[in-house]
Amino acid sequence: MSAKAPIEDINENATEMVVGDPKTWAAGVPGVTHSMGPAFLEMGIGRSLKLLTDMNQKDGFDCMSCAWADPDHRKTFEFCENGAKAVTWEATPVAIPTTFWSAHSISSLLEKSEYWLGMQGRLIEPVYKPKGKDHYESISWDDAFTLIGDRLKALDSANEATFYTSGRTANETAFIYQLLARSLGTNNLPDCSNMCHESTGLAMGESIGIGKNTVAYKDFAKADLIIVMGQNPGTNHPRMLTALEEAKEAGADIVAVNPLLEAGLIRYKNPQKVKGIIGHGTGLADQYLQIRAGGDGWLMKAISKRVFEAEAAHPGTVLDHEFIDEHCAGLEEFKAHVATLDHDSVLRATGLTTEEIDELAARYMKADKVIITWAMGLTQHKDAVAIIKEIMNLLLLRGNIGKPGAGASPIRGHSNVQGDRTMGIWEQMPPTFLDALQKEFHFDPPRENGFDTVQSVEAMLAGKTKVWIAMGGNLVSAVSDTAAAEAGFRSVGLNVQISTKLNRNHLTVGDEALILPTMGRTEIDIQAGGPQVLSVEDSVCAIHATRGKIKPISDKLLSEVSIVTRIARQVFGDDGPINWAGFEENYDTIRDHIEHVIEGFDNFNERLHRDNGFILPHGPRDSRTFNTPTGKAMITVNELEYIECPTGRLLLQSMRAHDQFNTTIYSLDDRYRGIKKSRKVIFVHPDDLPMLGVEDGQIVDVHSEFTDNVDRVVRNFRVVAFPTSRGCAATYFPEGNPLVPLGSTADGSNTPASKAIVVRLEPVETYRAGSRRAPEGTLAGV
């Protein structure tokens, strides 16, 4: 493998931060240069072009950076800046040498930044941290599997083991991974869904009987109105901007609802079009509502009330009576409930004006086909489930489910987080799935619910977890209450991480730990049965084939499927009812079983190999059928939370910077927001600064305030004046995670509630950076 000098760690200091004006457009030529430049530098021109032109193609590999849907007709460059960076991150030819582990103690590595850890290169050999030692050391694959098997077999209860999954794992791996856990006897299968769209799944499941997107990619261009809520496509899923541009060119209105102004929702310069390179680009948001954090449900309910008032004024012309009468239940109860909605309470909760709400209501009632799309800006509130049910209510009132150009569109983050759930990665899979698993594999799966992510950390802290196995991910950094998570992981007997790159979770360990290096999605997977193909599910329920295109970085690597099956063989042997060895030899055998267990996967192998994928059935979308207890879509009555924010305090939300993917940090810059060289920043509206007694550029400690009176604090953050909504602030994930208690979760879904946190700022020094004028918080100002 090629080698280069490892980067020096960056002493991240908020006083070294460079702050410029936030951008008012996304992509364009900078999007190309920031995509291709790092790729060419890290991988070389030939390797880069090979991989980037194969990404998201029908005979290529699926991008690992998000779950955005692919269009029917692909372009040669069917990727975005984030995808290019993710490929560069994974397919780097730089590998961590054996000498690294003796040269660096675990204690010394803990002092390094997440950025530095990831930049050391690919993991290429299994390593083991023995009890009482502060170094990892090389271990053979056979010895590693024997160790895991011995520790699992020695457990007093299968529930002393937990099997975590990140969303990058392919369907076939996820299916046999949950099969391993349930064969052992536990439903402890937490995953990253527990921390992001769990609220979506619960809310939509109770409303329409399925927690998945009700639209296809092509529906965006057919919509009359698209409401984009609680998300920043320009940073988190940039290819969505192309779909929004296509919708705009077809005549759709677009409304953005977000506390912060985000460049990609203002204007998009498509780098694959002339006007995106040398022209003005495409203006996207016709209306931009900078809502108070947590006010989204109130806004939806206020629009619903206006729909009922318009129907009363013009009977039979506003509500979709035919759809409601045939397909919905709960209308009259909801109508009576919203009639009591207090207008002043709506204004206080949303921070919007009457005129702004009236304008959105008029747009909604004018449009025949409406898509409402959202992400974690909505799902991580305490009342997130109620917020999303209010979205569903509004869509149902005018029949915007199950018709072209209309529907509910939750945008998933990880590339296969939805597929993992379909495959059974969930701590509370329904009896129908467990019954099918029992019939197919001739064993009785456990029936009691297992631990979700937050419960898993609580179980660690209580000393209930003896073995932790993680298929990807970096949970210690991703989950809320960082101090509690670190303490929990240090209490685990054996921590097993199946990974491609080094991260903090490899270093936050208890008695014993193993790092098992695995192939990336870009790498060719050859088993006894020949080259293998895997599959993933995107946000719109489409199953795609994914095939690696380059030789693995090391012949020491094993595929995820190989690792799971070899652990299982150590635990169960080769004489049981499940042919684990056969799974490893040919992944077609895994898909044969998936076909028998999970609805919608008929002729799985044939359709995957012949057509490179297919669309899963979806009752509400396909036939307006609803798998709810009543057999109808449920219009629900929900109580919404209003978070009081005392004078001198702010409502804080966490978010991603532009140069990151979840806990993976590509650089310390966030160019759309004008930030360089540091991530220790808190964005505050300039008009709020005098009330707080701080100035733009000042260094502060950020303290969260919860009823448990525990002082949770992150230190030495720089205040940056920024066009966010009044009374609200924002900081980066995961740097803001220590401010959120482990027990602060969404009602019903138990998702960490990392939005709308009451915080105070305490100046820690007199340092002032040169301030820069933030643009006004309206579209006219930008």
Side-chain angles (χ1 to χ4, degrees):
M1 292 297 104
S2 64
K4 65 177 184 179
I7 65 165
E8 294 297 323
D9 200 12
I10 296 174
N11 181 20
E12 186 180 350
N13 188 329
T15 62
E16 302 299 321
M17 184 187 301
V18 176
V19 181
D21 290 332
K23 305 297 184 186
T24 58
W25 53 270
V29 173
V32 177
T33 58
H34 283 83
S35 297
M36 306 304 289
F40 289 167
L41 180 65
E42 291 288 326
M43 300 189 296
I45 295 175
R47 187 181 180 92
S48 298
L49 292 177
K50 166 65 177 171
L51 288 172
L52 294 178
T53 56
D54 277 324
M55 184 161 55
N56 296 321
Q57 301 302 322
K58 292 184 177 181
D59 61 347
F61 64 92
D62 200 73
C63 178
M64 62 288 288
S65 70
C66 80
W68 180 247
D70 294 318
D72 291 336
H73 301 288
R74 316 287 168 89
K75 303 179 182 70
T76 301
F77 298 103
E78 193 62 58
F79 63 88
C80 65
E81 180 181 342
N82 273 18
K85 289 174 179 175
V87 168
T88 302
W89 189 256
E90 175 182 294
T92 174
V94 178
I96 295 178
T98 300
T99 54
F100 177 90
W101 306 107
S102 59
H104 297 280
S105 67
I106 293 173
S107 299
S108 68
L109 290 172
L110 277 168
E111 297 175 359
K112 302 294 187 181
S113 69
E114 198 78 69
Y115 173 66
W116 184 92
L117 294 173
M119 289 299 290
Q120 298 315 294
R122 283 285 298 277
L123 297 160
I124 60 169
E125 62 178 337
V127 291
Y128 169 57
K129 186 208 86 72
K131 184 175 182 179
K133 298 288 185 68
D134 194 31
H135 283 263
Y136 278 102
E137 56 192 46
S138 296
I139 186 174
S140 70
W141 278 109
D142 286 345
D143 288 345
F145 291 131
T146 298
L147 177 66
I148 298 169
D150 288 346
R151 298 298 181 269
L152 289 174
K153 287 185 286 188
L155 297 176
D156 294 327
S157 164
N159 288 324
E160 293 178 332
T162 299
F163 296 80
Y164 177 76
T165 318
S166 83
R168 194 191 68 95
T169 302
N171 289 327
E172 292 75 11
T173 311
F175 184 78
I176 62 171
Y177 191 60
Q178 64 82 28
L179 183 61
L180 166 61
R182 292 189 166 103
S183 296
L184 188 69
T186 185
N187 280 315
N188 290 345
L189 284 157
D191 75 329
C192 55
S193 279
N194 297 146
M195 295 183 287
C196 55
H197 271 289
E198 199 69 60
S199 300
T200 292
L202 179 59
M204 290 184 67
E206 293 183 357
S207 293
I208 62 171
I210 185 171
K212 296 183 179 184
N213 207 311
T214 73
V215 305
Y217 180 95
K218 60 186 178 182
D219 284 314
F220 282 86
K222 298 177 181 178
D224 300 318
L225 171 66
I226 301 170
I227 306 175
V228 183
M229 304 183 71
Q231 59 177 300
N232 175 17
T235 284
N236 296 332
H237 29 269
R239 287 197 299 151
M240 183 181 183
L241 297 179
T242 299
L244 294 177
E245 180 184 51
E246 291 169 354
K248 191 73 178 175
E249 291 172 344
D253 283 353
I254 296 175
V255 175
V257 182
N258 196 310
L260 287 87
L261 281 178
E262 301 290 9
L265 290 173
I266 299 171
R267 185 154 47 99
Y268 173 46
K269 292 189 175 184
N270 188 336
Q272 300 197 52
K273 292 185 176 182
V274 172
K275 70 176 182 179
I277 298 296
I278 61 175
H280 188 73
T282 303
L284 292 183
D286 298 282
Q287 184 182 7
Y288 205 122
L289 300 180
Q290 288 192 256
I291 197 165
R292 182 182 189 265
D296 306 271
W298 293 86
L299 176 61
M300 293 293 98
K301 189 176 287 188
I303 303 300
S304 292
K305 182 175 183 178
R306 284 161 170 76
V307 170
F308 282 118
E309 290 170 346
E311 173 68 20
H314 304 281
T317 65
V318 182
L319 293 175
D320 188 335
H321 289 281
E322 182 178 355
F323 172 79
I324 293 171
D325 291 345
E326 183 176 354
H327 297 294
C328 298
L331 177 70
E332 294 304 319
E333 294 85 351
F334 180 62
K335 179 180 178 181
H337 174 71
V338 298
T340 66
L341 184 65
D342 178 67
H343 181 63
D344 289 338
S345 296
V346 171
L347 299 183
R348 183 179 63 158
T350 62
L352 302 174
T353 65
T354 300
E355 292 74 19
E356 287 175 310
I357 299 173
D358 286 344
E359 181 180 344
L360 177 55
R363 291 181 188 276
Y364 181 76
M365 286 183 278
K366 177 184 176 183
D368 178 58
K369 297 166 291 185
V370 178
I371 292 173
I372 302 181
T373 175
W374 68 92
M376 286 184 283
L378 269 60
T379 65
Q380 294 179 328
H381 291 278
K382 188 175 186 299
D383 62 344
V385 175
I387 291 172
I388 295 159
K389 285 185 176 180
E390 292 298 341
I391 291 175
M392 302 308 297
N393 287 343
L394 182 58
L395 288 171
L396 291 170
L397 291 182
R398 286 177 51 80
N400 281 300
I401 296 289
K403 67 180 179 183
S409 180
I411 303 301
R412 313 284 175 172
H414 266 96
S415 62
N416 196 42
V417 64
Q418 185 163 296
D420 286 352
R421 181 58 55 86
T422 301
M423 292 296 112
I425 301 292
W426 195 25
E427 73 281 354
Q428 47 185 313
M429 287 299 288
T432 51
F433 178 89
L434 299 177
D435 291 344
L437 209 62
Q438 180 178 19
K439 180 180 179 182
E440 182 71 7
F441 293 105
H442 310 292
F443 78 101
D444 189 10
R447 300 287 168 158
E448 70 279 5
N449 288 350
F451 299 142
D452 64 19
T453 295
V454 169
Q455 292 165 342
S456 293
V457 177
E458 292 170 341
M460 292 186 221
L461 290 167
K464 296 179 180 178
T465 303
K466 303 294 178 60
V467 177
W468 171 273
I469 302 178
M471 181 62 67
N474 180 14
L475 181 60
V476 73
S477 293
V479 75
S480 55
D481 208 335
T482 306
E486 290 175 343
F489 272 104
R490 290 192 175 105
S491 71
V492 173
L494 173 65
N495 185 324
V496 181
Q497 300 282 331
I498 303 166
S499 307
T500 58
K501 300 286 279 289
L502 189 62
N503 64 51
R504 193 168 185 84
N505 220 147
H506 301 121
L507 312 173
T508 313
V509 294
D511 290 342
E512 297 179 289
L514 283 164
I515 303 175
L516 304 182
T518 189
M519 294 178 186
R521 191 172 288 179
T522 56
E523 291 169 319
I524 300 169
D525 182 358
I526 298 179
Q527 302 293 346
Q532 300 298 310
V533 61
L534 292 162
S535 66
V536 296
E537 179 183 347
D538 67 22
S539 276
V540 298
C541 310
I543 301 296
H544 298 283
T546 179
R547 300 172 176 86
K549 291 296 181 176
I550 58 173
K551 182 181 178 181
I553 189 173
S554 169
D555 56 12
K556 297 178 183 178
L557 295 181
L558 293 179
S559 71
E560 290 180 344
V561 168
S562 293
I563 292 171
V564 174
T565 56
R566 294 188 193 189
I567 292 173
R569 293 172 69 186
Q570 280 293 327
V571 176
F572 306 116
D574 289 322
D575 298 326
I578 299 174
N579 183 8
W580 300 100
F583 291 164
E584 181 179 10
E585 291 174 3
N586 190 333
Y587 301 171
D588 283 355
T589 62
I590 303 173
R591 286 185 284 271
D592 287 338
H593 289 292
I594 292 172
E595 177 180 334
H596 300 155
V597 172
I598 304 174
E599 183 181 0
F601 285 85
D602 302 332
N603 303 315
F604 190 1
N605 275 307
E606 179 184 348
R607 290 193 287 170
L608 191 71
H609 290 297
R610 183 190 64 202
D611 302 327
N612 292 300
F614 51 92
I615 306 295
L616 290 175
H618 188 295
R621 179 199 66 205
D622 300 338
S623 58
R624 287 185 161 178
T625 55
F626 303 95
N627 185 25
T628 64
T630 64
K632 293 189 173 185
M634 299 302 299
I635 301 173
T636 57
V637 171
N638 308 286
E639 297 299 330
L640 297 169
E641 181 183 41
Y642 175 78
I643 299 176
E644 294 286 351
C645 192
T647 301
R649 306 297 191 264
L650 296 169
L651 288 181
L652 180 73
Q653 70 173 44
S654 62
M655 62 187 185
R656 289 187 200 168
H658 185 64
D659 242 8
Q660 79 176 95
F661 174 67
N662 293 343
T663 61
T664 298
I665 311 300
Y666 300 131
S667 82
L668 300 183
D669 299 345
D670 187 355
R671 77 172 187 276
Y672 288 158
R673 298 189 180 103
I675 304 299
K676 293 183 178 181
K677 296 187 177 181
S678 181
R679 294 171 53 83
K680 300 184 72 172
V681 56
I682 181 167
F683 297 98
V684 182
H685 193 285
D687 292 345
D688 285 329
L689 296 177
M691 175 270 294
L692 298 168
V694 298
E695 298 178 15
D696 184 21
Q698 191 160 8
I699 305 300
V700 299
D701 291 342
V702 184
H703 297 256
S704 63
E705 298 185 347
F706 286 87
T707 55
D708 61 5
N709 295 319
V710 175
D711 185 31
R712 295 177 177 86
V713 59
V714 293
R715 300 194 182 279
N716 299 316
F717 276 48
R718 176 172 164 176
V719 176
V720 172
F722 193 84
T724 184
S725 53
R726 290 292 308 273
C728 298
T731 193
Y732 293 129
F733 160 94
E735 286 80 2
N737 288 0
L739 297 172
V740 185
L742 193 63
S744 178
T745 60
D747 297 334
S749 69
N750 209 34
T751 295
S754 57
K755 303 293 188 287
I757 308 163
V758 176
V759 298
R760 70 180 187 276
L761 310 185
E762 294 187 358
V764 295
E765 56 179 79
T766 58
Y767 172 84
R768 301 288 190 279
S771 64
R772 55 107 172 103
R773 182 177 178 273
E776 298 295 327
T778 66
L779 280 175
V782 298

